[in-house]
Amino acid sequence: MYAEERQTAMAQRIATEGRLSVAALAREFDVTTETVRRDLTSLERRDLIRRVHGGAVPSTALHVIEAGVQDRARTRPSEKDAIAQRALQYLPAAGSTVLLDAGTTTAALAAALPRRTGSRS
């Protein structure tokens, strides 16, 4: 089987199955995993599939575009503020350290944190 034929068959199998692993494709087409990876790279360049960890999915499977942080910050701001206000009661005592991860709800919590008063000596 020529590489082009194999790649076409792989693209069709991935479209049908929804997801296939490199190892499964190597077994099915009786080639090495390195050959499969090269084939998948070629198919991805042609926008026929999308490479994922350990395999591939159809190119249409990953067309989700996440909204930007500014758009997410404007989504449900009153709910985020309510969560932040509720979370304040679970914080440790004054003088403790709180670590927050990134996100628009945690940004609302950071904005609701009491401001430090006084100066360090």
Side-chain angles (χ1 to χ4, degrees):
M1 180 180 283
Y2 292 114
E4 293 80 14
E5 294 171 318
R6 185 179 58 246
Q7 291 170 9
T8 299
M10 283 182 183
Q12 289 171 343
R13 290 279 292 126
I14 292 165
T16 301
E17 294 296 320
R19 178 185 175 103
L20 282 171
S21 71
V22 169
L25 289 166
R27 281 191 305 274
E28 183 173 338
F29 292 95
D30 195 28
V31 294
T32 66
T33 56
E34 291 80 12
T35 297
V36 170
R37 287 186 185 93
R38 282 192 299 272
D39 287 344
L40 294 180
T41 298
S42 176
L43 292 169
E44 186 172 43
R45 282 190 200 124
R46 292 184 282 167
D47 201 30
L48 297 172
I49 58 103
R50 292 282 180 252
R51 298 284 310 271
V52 295
H53 184 73
V57 297
S59 62
T60 57
L62 301 176
H63 283 248
V64 177
I65 298 173
E66 185 174 326
V69 71
Q70 291 176 344
D71 291 332
R72 291 194 322 265
R74 288 190 293 263
T75 302
R76 300 182 183 240
S78 59
E79 287 88 342
K80 292 174 186 186
D81 290 340
I83 291 168
Q85 290 302 314
R86 183 67 184 254
L88 288 174
Q89 70 184 357
Y90 296 104
L91 294 178
S96 298
T97 300
V98 176
L99 300 176
L100 299 174
D101 200 352
T104 55
T105 304
T106 51
L109 174 58
L113 290 172
R115 301 288 177 225
R116 184 176 13 174
T117 57
S119 62
R120 294 181 119 175
S121 23

